[in-house]
Amino acid sequence: MDWITTVDHKKIAILYLWAGGIFFGIGGLEAILIRIQLIKPMNTFLDAQTFNELITMHGTTMIFLGVMPVIFALMNAVIPLQIGARDVAFPFLNALGFWTFLFGGILLNLSWIMGGAPDAGWTAYTPLSSSSYSTTHGVDFYTIGLQIAGLGTLIGGINFLATIITMRAPGMSFMRMPMFAWATFITSAIILFAFPAVTVGLVLLTFDRILGANFFETSGGGNPVLWQHIFWIFGHPEVYILILPAFGIISEVIPTFSRKRLFGYSSMVFATILIAFLGFMVWAHHMFTTGLGPVANALFSVSTMLIAVPTGIKIFNWLFTMWGGQVRFTTPNLFAVGFIPTFTMGGVTGVMLASAPADFQFHDTYFVVAHFHYVIVGGLVLGLFAGLHYWWPKMFGRMLSEHLGKWTFWTFIIGFHMTFFVQHFLGLMGMQRRVFTYLPNQQFDLLNLISTIGAGLMGVGMLFFLANVFITSRKPADAADDPWEDGRTLEWTISSPPPEYNFKQTPLVRGLDAFWKEKTAGHKGMTPSEPVGSIHMPSATVHPFLMSVGIFIAGLGFMFSRDDFGNSFMSFLFNNYIVTALGLLITFGSMLMRSLFDDHGWHIEPEELEGR
Amino acid sequence: MTTAHAEASKGTLPHEPEKATAEGRNKVLAFWLFLGGEAVLFGTLFATFLALRNQTNDGPSANELFHLPLVAAATFLLLVSSLTSVFAIQAMHRNQPALLRNWLLVTVVLGAAFLGLEIYEFSEYIRHEKFGMTTSAFSSAFYTLVGFHGAHVAFGIVWIAVLIGQLSYKGLTVVTAPKIYVSAMYWHFIDVVWVFIFTVVYLLGKVG
């Protein structure tokens, strides 16, 4: 019950981690099944329909329900601490964002047991996703589930923007903010401007499928390419929503374990902003082969290649940070250092794909699959592992085992390169993506076998991580405040895990890497910027949970509103939108309650603070 | 000088009560951000509408459908309601809760009248022109864009009505003031979107 009503950002972080971890596991199992099917030519392990459902759900689950929540987990756990705040700007909204994400994710995954998962690919291209080609409720689960989960992401994004703008500790100007806080800030801005576009896209597709609208139906005057534009004007910035936090994590981990300040801090900041800006300008590079014409293709080609410039700045800055530093290869730093070449390879194939004429050859082959897995797995997932190992002691008060951590790293990264490196060649030789099997003797056989074995090895790496987490959870929570001993930022100045009010006294920030600055000046901790006083805390509340349950019920009701249940009572409930109305009533009722009964929270008094 | 003095003598509320507390300032800032997201939302809907506005699929076209006098009346109602919400905020800044409540009531009534005209317009199209959601890509885009705006108006009406209720039993405080201020921002945003709808959908549909 405590977990359902909590509004504490540190607890919400753990909720995000659990939920994201479970969805990540589901997405990983789907990936393993896909790779088993492709282990040999003409395999009959899965049928085509199941394969389509698996690739769709693998992509959708991993991006929206797997890695994004884990990113949000780290942001929630770290950001208020890094900027010296007692909480996020809107604790209530923070909880609401988590619950809408979770119920959206549950709705999406219910499709497996309620008549068929979505099968139109994670991009849900029309007309494949139209009701004439995708006849089960699968795509409805996709549109409505993602809609609800997306709402949570948008709420989270706005919350982090407001938090970072208004709640930084005294002295922490924007140019003294840690890079992970910067990454979160820019990522949240991208979320704010990208997610409403997909909101609209999903609404239009829902209307097409459930209300018989004609947005993408050519027979009614609609235009399927419109879907691609709307999807990718969201979908391309989404790539940066995923990778910028990883950049932020790497920029924290590498300086800590090099005992040097980040090389070129301000160029890192501006590179981040520039990447975010360019991220919105390049969506049509996903659509070179739809026939936009040479002028559009050329423009989008050039703007895409431009992104390599700020990204290259970042890569070199990390290298220069390590240069001459006292580098320690702890598990987090192994992941961070492993990230650099792996991500760079993904970036290089990105430039190759950005060349429109070459893209006509690469399009829809395994070359593309290899490229984006190098970026998202070799980039983001390695970054997340670095971040999780790095901040685990701060989140839970326990150090993960270094020994098991290194096993995780080596099995995972070797498995990763085995899986995806060979896919470049499969793609260049013409193996198509999204196809459930292939003919023998096209030189695809051996490389696919290697790829599948690699995927298994990545799975083993995940098992090492889970074992590490399990074993660690049995140990006493005795991590030091600054367990890596070279912590540079504010989160390492308070106990692990932090008290619920984070900072007894808000710290005074005197420079970049605030804690490091105090350490080099010979101080043990931060100078407080205020006297010890009563601390205002928000109250726990069940409303975010109830609102999300309401939206969940309304979504299910709307989805089945045109169905014939064969049971007249059920048909009556759904066909008259009674279930939908009931769900919305719960949501709006909760909102009304929240609005009418002000909750002024409670205070922790100074005597209580001293008592601990 | 005199007004400031008068306020000080009342001693109840700061000049800009919506920005008096950190929570209030956060709320106003976050609402600006939210409106940024809403702008993208409507931008995408507008883009969709522009892409599909001539795809009438042998159904009625914009030129055959729209009656500008009706739309002009609706526009007038909504624009005036934006003005009355400004009066409401001015009353709030002068710490006159009764006047504030009255102006909010006028805003809600004007908003409801606008919504009534829109519902009448839609029902006319559906009944007499056989112009429904499924008729054509143009109809889908039209109902979705204008309907989304209408749903925003409806939400705003309920929201401000709840705030009026809240105002009457909690009074004007630094807790209620940011809520009222933010709802007025929302109302202006709806109004701005409508100006674009009037231009892009109706005027362009008639003469473009």
Side-chain angles (χ1 to χ4, degrees), chain A residues 121-181:
Chain A
W122 87 274
T123 53
Y125 278 170
T126 54
L128 270 182
S129 56
S130 69
S131 39
S132 29
Y133 289 93
S134 185
T135 48
T136 66
H137 270 300
V139 177
D140 300 326
F141 278 104
Y142 172 94
T143 53
I144 293 172
L146 284 191
Q147 192 68 273
I148 296 171
L151 192 66
T153 312
L154 184 64
I155 291 170
I158 293 179
N159 199 353
F160 280 122
L161 281 171
T163 304
I164 292 174
I165 294 173
T166 62
M167 310 214 12
R168 281 166 291 128
M172 182 171 282
S173 62
F174 268 101
M175 291 312 278
R176 285 179 182 175
M177 214 159 68
M179 271 319 289
F180 184 60

Side-chain angles (χ1 to χ4, degrees), chain B residues 6-208:
Chain B
E7 258 174 70
S9 65
K10 268 186 250 163
T12 45
L13 213 59
H15 175 59
E16 286 188 328
E18 74 276 7
K19 290 173 186 162
T21 61
E23 282 81 8
R25 286 191 298 273
N26 278 349
K27 204 170 260 185
V28 173
L29 170 74
F31 205 79
W32 274 110
L33 296 169
F34 170 73
L35 290 184
E38 287 270 273
V40 175
L41 185 118
F42 277 104
T44 314
L45 285 170
F46 274 110
T48 305
F49 178 81
L50 283 172
L52 299 175
R53 73 188 192 95
N54 293 322
Q55 306 296 97
T56 52
N57 193 29
D58 296 334
S61 71
N63 197 18
E64 294 158 16
L65 219 48
F66 298 149
H67 300 291
L68 278 187
L70 179 78
V71 187
T75 307
F76 179 73
L77 288 172
L78 201 64
L79 288 180
V80 172
S81 81
S82 209
L83 181 68
T84 57
S85 76
V86 173
F87 291 154
I89 295 300
Q90 285 182 332
M92 185 175 90
H93 284 167
R94 288 195 303 267
N95 196 9
Q96 296 168 317
L99 194 59
L100 163 62
R101 192 197 57 219
N102 291 343
W103 279 124
L104 287 181
L105 272 173
V106 176
T107 307
V108 166
V109 170
L110 288 170
F114 168 86
L115 201 61
L117 280 186
E118 187 157 278
I119 292 168
Y120 168 76
E121 182 198 0
F122 281 13
S123 64
E124 286 292 296
Y125 292 161
I126 292 168
R127 271 200 222 120
H128 300 301
E129 314 274 356
K130 303 274 175 272
F131 182 74
M133 188 71 163
T134 56
T135 308
S136 62
F138 163 60
S139 77
S140 304
F142 170 78
Y143 282 117
T144 306
L145 171 58
V146 183
F148 247 73
H149 177 266
H152 273 74
V153 173
F155 182 84
I157 291 170
V158 176
W159 183 12
I160 297 176
V162 169
L163 289 180
I164 292 172
Q166 205 175 29
L167 194 63
S168 63
Y169 79 90
K170 273 188 199 156
L172 181 58
T173 66
V174 290
V175 177
T176 51
K179 297 183 182 184
I180 294 167
Y181 187 81
V182 157
S183 70
M185 280 167 66
Y186 176 83
W187 199 255
H188 291 314
F189 176 79
I190 289 176
D191 206 48
V192 171
V193 172
W194 179 259
V195 172
F196 281 93
I197 290 181
F198 181 72
T199 314
V200 171
V201 178
Y202 291 100
L203 281 186
L204 217 57
K206 263 318 208 194
V207 300

Side-chain angles (χ1 to χ4, degrees), chain A residues 68-139:
Chain A
M68 281 189 64
V70 178
I71 293 171
F72 268 66
L74 287 177
M75 289 177 175
N76 262 302
V78 176
I79 291 302
L81 307 181
Q82 272 199 334
I83 64 172
R86 294 226 166 82
D87 207 331
V88 292
F90 305 101
F92 180 91
L93 284 185
N94 205 11
L96 181 62
F98 169 74
W99 290 110
T100 45
F101 140 69
L102 182 65
F103 279 101
I106 291 174
L107 185 71
L108 186 54
N109 274 281
L110 275 182
S111 62
W112 286 116
I113 52 172
M114 287 176 72
D119 53 2
W122 87 274
T123 53
Y125 278 170
T126 54
L128 270 182
S129 56
S130 69
S131 39
S132 29
Y133 289 93
S134 185
T135 48
T136 66
H137 270 300
V139 177

